[in-house]
Amino acid sequence: MGKGFSKRSLTVSPSLTLAITAKSNELISQGVDVVSFGVGEPDFNTPQYIIDGAKYALDHGMTKYTASGGTPALKKAICEKLSRDNGLNYKPNQIVVSNGAKHSLFNTLQVLVEEGDEVIILSPYWLTYPELVKICGGKAVTVECLPEDGFIVRPEKLRAALNQNTKAIILNSPNNPTGAVYDKNDISAVAEVLKDFPDVWVIADEIYEKLIYEGEHISIASLSQQMYDRTIVINGMSKAYAMTGWRIGYAAAPTVQIAKLMDGLQSHETSNANTIAQYAAQTALNGNGDSIDAMKEEFSKRRDMMVDILAKIENVSIVKPKGAFYVMVDVSALFNKTFRGTKIETANNFAKLLIESYYVAVIPCEGFGAEKFIRLSYATSREKITEGLKRINDFVKEIK
Ligand SMILES: Cc1ncc(COP(=O)(O)O)c(C=O)c1O
């Protein structure tokens, strides 16, 4: 017997985006003016009233352990938020606060998934989902959503993927990477299919909820008591409040038992999320939402600008996003063409050549289950958007 490693850790795929990020950082350190469309976080600073909340916590001795699943005051603020914004009623003992929504998703899957269970993921998907499912011993089953459908799942395709081994489905609206937003009809159609599979859990990742430019957010859990009873709602502070580094996310469970199981795991994994950040999150949620509105307005302008410019670039096509801060760009019309003697065969090749020649970082979407696409984030200034898209246009023109 050699000194082996666990199958669990060996099956996890390293992020495909790392190579581009590494290249981008290397160029920046050499003083090159790189435009990055890679970022997955708001470029705004955390609003001042939230920072003041954290300072208050520091000055008033809130620097100790809290209950592992979160402070009573933060859980109360979360319950009020879910009721106010989503029409969902929870008691604090149904809420578990974790180190970011990613951790909440991990805890949820740990509690639900047995070895070999299938978890349905709609592609294009946030690349972390299949990896988390694998780590928890499950099997990720993908259902493809098509650009011509605005990346909204077709109910009959979803139905075909469901079977007796399906343990859960992960829904993500607004979606990373597509920016798709499920409207009332879309989400009701999903719920209708799920009616015939009552044992399947729904994990609703609603982290981009506040960043919607067309339509409104409807939590699937709010559609009916039956949906509430089978849904774990995941949300967090990162995207809405520009608080990515504070690491606060949460899960709202339909029963106290589920919340207790998640809390039990977390009590041994990490204990409580950072105490000062919890106080800051409570301050954020109890605030008036003005800072969210201002960020959303700016994102909305950038989205329009980006979409307008991209529409004029030849040989690429886009699906206009309705939420989050990403645009998916189909670059497959350029596959098998040549840039300065090198053949472009994949979105990965495209991204590599783009950063090396025109110093623009974009995310190739193989890891998101969308091989033909690259993802551009508009969480960057309007000046950078103009400059970066000009360079992309020049790059594309050179591809023959
Ligand atoms: C779809 C989606 N869910 C969850 C997260 C995790 O957010 P956090 O762990 O920062 O709360 C992200 C972050 O990129 C995301 O894109």
Side-chain angles (χ1 to χ4, degrees):
M1 287 287 280
K3 287 195 203 132
F5 300 104
S6 72
K7 279 202 200 106
R8 256 190 338 280
S9 65
L10 293 171
T11 60
V12 175
S13 313
S15 168
L16 264 179
T17 62
L18 283 185
I20 299 290
T21 314
K23 184 74 201 169
S24 163
N25 290 340
E26 185 196 316
L27 289 166
I28 290 168
S29 72
Q30 290 164 8
V32 176
D33 170 25
V34 174
V35 178
S36 180
F37 291 125
V39 278
E41 59 183 341
D43 53 320
F44 307 105
N45 204 2
T46 303
Q48 190 57 43
Y49 80 100
I50 302 172
I51 293 173
D52 291 342
K55 286 183 182 159
Y56 182 91
L58 280 168
D59 288 340
H60 290 79
M62 288 179 236
T63 53
K64 307 275 200 286
Y65 291 133
T66 71
S68 65
T71 64
L74 175 54
K75 288 187 183 183
K76 180 169 170 283
I78 291 168
C79 289
E80 286 166 3
K81 177 258 174 265
L82 290 165
S83 163
R84 184 174 66 231
D85 295 352
N86 310 109
L88 292 169
N89 291 317
Y90 296 97
K91 298 220 161 56
N93 59 8
Q94 293 171 268
I95 307 294
V96 182
V97 177
S98 301
N99 297 282
K102 190 183 268 185
H103 186 204
S104 305
L105 284 161
F106 181 59
N107 284 339
T108 305
L109 289 164
Q110 282 284 18
V111 165
L112 302 183
V113 175
E114 291 276 26
E115 206 65 34
D117 281 349
E118 294 184 4
V119 176
I120 293 182
I121 295 173
L122 308 180
S123 77
Y125 45 75
W126 181 41
L127 76 185
T128 290
Y129 296 145
E131 304 308 319
L132 288 181
V133 170
K134 273 194 267 173
I135 296 169
C136 295
K139 183 173 166 238
V141 173
T142 51
V143 176
E144 194 186 1
C145 305
L146 303 169
E148 55 267 39
D149 298 331
F151 291 117
I152 300 291
V153 71
R154 287 193 188 171
E156 65 275 14
K157 274 195 161 185
L158 175 58
R159 184 177 291 278
L162 286 151
N163 64 58
Q164 65 204 26
N165 299 321
T166 312
K167 180 53 78 72
I169 171 168
I170 304 180
L171 299 176
N172 175 218
S173 174
N175 182 279
N176 174 10
T178 65
V181 174
Y182 280 67
D183 68 16
K184 184 88 188 253
N185 284 340
D186 301 325
I187 204 75
S188 303
V190 171
E192 194 55 37
V193 172
L194 291 171
K195 263 191 195 161
D196 295 334
F197 302 88
D199 295 334
V200 174
W201 293 101
V202 178
I203 302 170
D205 179 350
E206 305 187 346
I207 190 101
Y208 291 99
E209 168 200 12
K210 294 290 176 194
L211 300 175
I212 295 187
Y213 319 109
E214 277 173 54
E216 54 168 339
H217 176 71
I218 294 165
S219 177
I220 193 165
S222 70
L223 291 182
S224 64
Q225 186 62 42
Q226 286 86 341
M227 283 315 303
Y228 177 98
D229 289 342
R230 62 193 296 185
T231 302
I232 293 110
V233 174
I234 308 289
N235 209 326
M237 311 307 294
S238 287
K239 316 287 175 174
Y241 294 92
M243 288 178 73
T244 46
W246 301 71
R247 311 307 304 130
I248 298 289
Y250 54 88
T255 67
V256 176
Q257 189 193 10
I258 298 175
K260 269 198 179 146
L261 290 171
M262 290 172 66
D263 192 357
L265 284 174
Q266 180 165 305
S267 71
H268 295 295
E269 291 163 351
T270 59
S271 298
N272 61 277
N274 181 291
T275 302
I276 302 144
Q278 285 192 66
Y279 190 76
Q282 170 194 332
T283 311
L285 290 171
N286 290 336
N288 62 14
D290 286 354
S291 57
I292 295 182
D293 293 342
M295 280 190 252
K296 185 173 131 174
E297 205 180 309
E298 175 59 22
F299 278 135
S300 175
K301 288 192 180 124
R302 293 178 190 176
R303 175 194 74 140
D304 292 345
M305 187 179 155
M306 201 155 194
V307 164
D308 287 349
I309 303 175
L310 282 166
K312 293 186 192 114
I313 300 182
E314 276 174 27
N315 286 322
V316 303
S317 61
I318 54 160
V319 176
K320 191 173 183 186
K322 294 184 175 167
F325 39 67
Y326 309 104
V327 187
M328 293 279 276
V329 183
D330 183 341
V331 292
S332 63
L334 298 164
F335 292 174
N336 295 320
K337 297 192 174 182
T338 303
F339 174 80
R340 297 184 189 167
T342 307
K343 197 163 162 193
I344 297 177
E345 279 167 315
T346 62
N348 228 10
N349 292 158
F350 178 96
K352 188 166 174 286
L353 291 170
L354 178 62
I355 180 96
E356 285 170 358
S357 58
Y358 279 90
Y359 310 126
V360 179
V362 300
I363 304 293
C365 290
E366 276 105 326
F368 294 74
E371 292 177 346
K372 294 177 175 174
F373 290 83
I374 55 167
R375 188 194 76 178
L376 306 190
S377 159
Y378 45 93
T380 187
S381 69
R382 296 191 214 178
E383 294 73 38
K384 290 272 184 197
I385 291 173
T386 311
E387 172 60 23
L389 293 181
K390 184 183 165 301
R391 292 188 201 178
I392 291 180
N393 189 29
D394 291 346
F395 172 70
V396 168
K397 276 192 176 155
E398 263 197 69
I399 300 172
K400 301 287 176 218

